[in-house]
Amino acid sequence: MALVGSGSATPNQSLNNDQLGQRVDTNDDWIRTRTGIRSRRVIGPNETLTGLSHSAGLSAMSMAGWEPESVELILLATSTPDDLFGSAPQIQAKLGAFNAASFDLTAACSGFLFALVTAAQFLRNGSMKRALVIGADQLTRWVDWDDRRSCVLFGDGAGAVALEATSSEKDGLLGFKLKSDGSRGDCLNLPQVQDYLPLVPGTSHQRGGFSPIQMNGKEVYKFAVREVPEILEELLQVNEILPENLDWLLLHQANQRILDAVADRFAIPQHKVLSNLAMYGNTSAATIPLMLAEAVNDGRVKSGDLIASSGFGAGLSWGAALMRWQGPI
Ligand code: UT7
């Protein structure tokens, strides 16, 4: 499986730290020094998550040089679909990718890596040749904008990669590891509201709806700085790759301090650490493909580059992948 295209899309509205300070008791200095975030994008009235995902997917397909009918699989990694039944089929229709099976996959901020690995299985076992994997989230619709401990972190966006089946010698997914631990899930969740209404005498039903994001920031921080280096280390060892041989470290963009801590642990210099969270904040499943698309477009990531990536977040879920960027064949 080769990574042959990438694309991204972000909303037009931006919200900087000073503007946020008009809503909650926070300030630019606190947010910048504790997180590295300066601004984030917020989906407004004339945009949708499906629309952003479509744009990101279209860019990835066009970089790959694909006709829409040649795509056989579209995976949308998201926790915030426009439709709880799944938004991937809407993207499929907008792309005109009529031969693609399409479905949503949820693993919160690890969703993109989980979806990438899932798509790779179809391509490697020979059942499909072309897959589009999109990571997109609109957490701004589920954030409690009066909770300064969490609302400063999140933003909206979408990123996509185009994956093409190849011979095993040319496989661009050198290795991966995925993990989950539901016993620690209460550190970060977006739960159903417990609201029961009478249906008929003696029977009630639950009304649909979610309460805002609940997060224990300190616990999530500790989880990330413990588990991410561990899973990356395992992956590097199994694949007999030394950290100095990596071209890029591409982590889920949650907090610059987490990126720095992981990079320090492997003595990876700052110029090899991809980071755009100053501009976008944490866009959940979108962070990794959004960052990749940006670095491919501006020429930083080149064909043949070796990338170590790790996603982590709610679930709890986390994962890592070693990838070689191929670009258009
Ligand atoms: O995809 C995964 C998503 N989640 C994450 O990545 C979260 C990971 N965790 C973090 O990034 C950090 O824990 C945070 C950025 C959320 C918080 O940073 P921290 O250094 O752990 O701060 P803290 O929660 O210990 O708070 C320190 C102080 C507190 O004041 P006191 O009690 O020391 O007086 C907070 O009330 O900072 C205060 N504070 C704020 N002040 C201004 C918390 N949030 C804010 C804020 N603005 N937005």
Side-chain angles (χ1 to χ4, degrees), residues 24-243:
V24 278
D25 181 15
T26 190
N27 56 74
D28 177 58
D29 185 53
W30 191 96
I31 303 173
R32 262 191 305 104
T33 50
R34 302 273 179 148
T35 72
I37 298 165
R38 290 169 184 268
S39 186
R40 70 284 296 141
R41 299 290 179 94
V42 181
I43 287 181
N46 300 318
E47 296 164 317
T48 61
L49 189 79
T50 305
L52 289 186
S53 303
H54 165 254
S55 304
L58 195 60
S59 304
M61 268 178 32
S62 110
M63 181 183 288
W66 291 354
E67 294 301 326
E69 301 79 23
S70 69
V71 181
E72 290 172 289
L73 178 69
I74 297 175
L75 286 189
L76 173 65
T78 189
S79 307
T80 55
D82 290 329
D83 185 331
L84 268 187
F85 287 149
S87 291
Q90 292 304 311
I91 300 165
Q92 180 245 26
K94 273 168 86 83
L95 286 171
F98 301 113
N99 296 312
S102 34
F103 60 95
D104 292 12
L105 182 154
T106 299
C109 299
S110 315
F112 174 75
L113 282 189
F114 277 54
L116 179 86
V117 169
T118 302
Q121 308 313 310
F122 289 100
L123 301 179
R124 284 173 166 181
N125 74 18
S127 58
M128 291 178 178
K129 290 202 160 39
R130 288 181 169 173
L132 200 55
V133 175
I134 303 166
D137 264 309
Q138 186 180 358
L139 284 183
T140 61
R141 75 174 138 194
W142 296 111
V143 156
D144 177 353
W145 288 104
D146 296 315
D147 176 10
R148 69 175 184 172
R149 291 163 305 141
S150 59
C151 75
V152 299
L153 299 178
F154 301 106
D156 303 330
V161 291
L163 306 176
E164 180 117 35
T166 50
S167 60
S168 53
E169 309 83 71
K170 291 188 182 156
D171 201 306
L173 183 62
L174 279 64
F176 66 86
K177 258 191 175 301
L178 306 177
K179 294 196 177 182
S180 310
D181 180 2
S183 70
R184 290 188 274 167
D186 58 1
C187 292
L188 180 53
N189 44 22
L190 207 173
Q192 270 280 349
V193 282
Q194 297 295 312
D195 186 10
Y196 285 87
L197 299 174
L199 181 59
V200 293
T203 305
S204 60
H205 78 98
Q206 190 175 3
R207 184 167 29 198
F210 295 89
S211 57
I213 292 172
Q214 298 164 8
M215 185 182 78
N216 181 334
K218 274 208 177 313
E219 284 306 311
V220 178
Y221 188 92
K222 281 194 273 178
F223 147 72
V225 295
R226 187 175 53 238
E227 303 290 2
V228 172
E230 197 172 308
I231 199 168
L232 277 172
E233 182 139 23
E234 276 180 53
L235 197 56
L236 290 170
Q237 267 176 13
V238 167
N239 289 277
E240 297 179 346
I241 290 172
L242 297 170

